[in-house]
Amino acid sequence: MTPLIAEFIGTALLVLLGNGVVANVLLNKTKGQNSGLIVIAFGWAMAVFIGVFSVAAISGAHLNPAVTIALAVAGKFAWNDVTGYIIAQMLGGMAGALVMWLMYRKHFESTEDSDLKLAVFCTGPAIRSLPGNLVSEIVATFVLVFAILSMVSPKMSLGAMDALPVALLVLGIGVSLGGTTGYAMSPARDLGPRIMHALLPISGKRNSDWGYAWVPVVGSITGAVLAALAHGIH
């Protein structure tokens, strides 16, 4: 398996399981309907654990364009490889969202609320205030990436890091900082599935909220770069 295929598969697993737990909580007639934010946060943490554990030895398990860019800024990843990794991650996010939709298709059909259907695919603000929402994404991603960089020795790649600390990190961010925007922290996790929401023939869907779509993209990349710079100073 090549690193690019590994990034595709790892990101697809992450989004399949992460968006899958959101579908299980939000959609009608599921076994986990209305089980709440804690279940979502735990599910996303396990999604990260499985994605990272599965491909870390092959690609380093970035699984996130913001992480890839931050590692390049920090001098821990070659800039020449950044574009390929990001493309693989975005395609993986789209593939994971597609499989999730296929699994939960009947539950999408049983759910009337179009906002909930969108929320299964991508994040949205609890209170819509784009400057504040942007700050939320910057802060959450800063915490994610600064902690990741702190876990990685200068002589190690991201793949040498155990998956469990990263999962616990995502769980902590989810329960502490996830209440404002849903803590996207990754274009592959948010923009990739949002594109699939727009393309798929989802029963009773609404628009894909493109007016907000830039927030998790710009916020996550900005937060990641700031974390890389801060870690360099540190």
Side-chain angles (χ1 to χ4, degrees), residues 30-107:
T30 67
K31 298 291 188 179
Q33 187 177 7
N34 296 324
S35 49
L37 175 63
I38 302 301
V39 171
I40 290 176
F42 186 80
W44 268 107
M46 291 301 97
V48 170
F49 175 81
I50 293 168
V52 171
F53 182 84
S54 297
V55 301
I58 302 167
S59 69
H62 300 187
L63 314 185
N64 180 345
V67 170
T68 297
I69 292 170
L71 289 171
V73 169
K76 300 177 183 295
F77 188 69
W79 279 106
N80 288 341
D81 295 329
V82 167
T83 300
Y85 262 54
I86 291 176
I87 291 172
Q89 292 156 1
M90 292 298 297
L91 291 176
M94 294 171 70
L98 172 62
V99 177
M100 178 279 299
W101 174 71
L102 290 172
M103 282 196 62
Y104 280 96
R105 188 169 182 177
K106 291 298 182 181
H107 297 278

Side-chain angles (χ1 to χ4, degrees), residues 69-71 73-74 142 145-146 149 223-233:
I69 292 170
L71 289 171
V73 169
F142 180 95
V145 173
F146 189 87
L149 291 173
V225 170
L226 290 175
L229 296 174
H231 188 268
I233 296 171

Side-chain angles (χ1 to χ4, degrees), residues 151-228:
M151 294 174 189
V152 181
S153 163
K155 295 183 179 181
M156 291 181 178
S157 69
L158 186 63
M161 182 175 52
D162 188 7
L164 182 58
V166 186
L168 294 175
L169 171 61
V170 171
L171 176 60
I173 292 172
V175 296
S176 297
L177 305 177
T180 56
T181 61
Y183 66 118
M185 303 189 295
S186 168
R189 175 268 176 271
D190 192 273
L191 182 58
R194 194 183 299 268
I195 292 171
M196 294 309 296
H197 177 271
L199 295 178
L200 289 171
I202 302 166
S203 173
K205 71 177 180 180
R206 51 160 289 180
N207 67 74
S208 301
D209 197 8
W210 294 110
Y212 180 79
W214 65 273
V215 172
V217 175
V218 174
S220 62
I221 293 173
T222 301
V225 170
L226 290 175

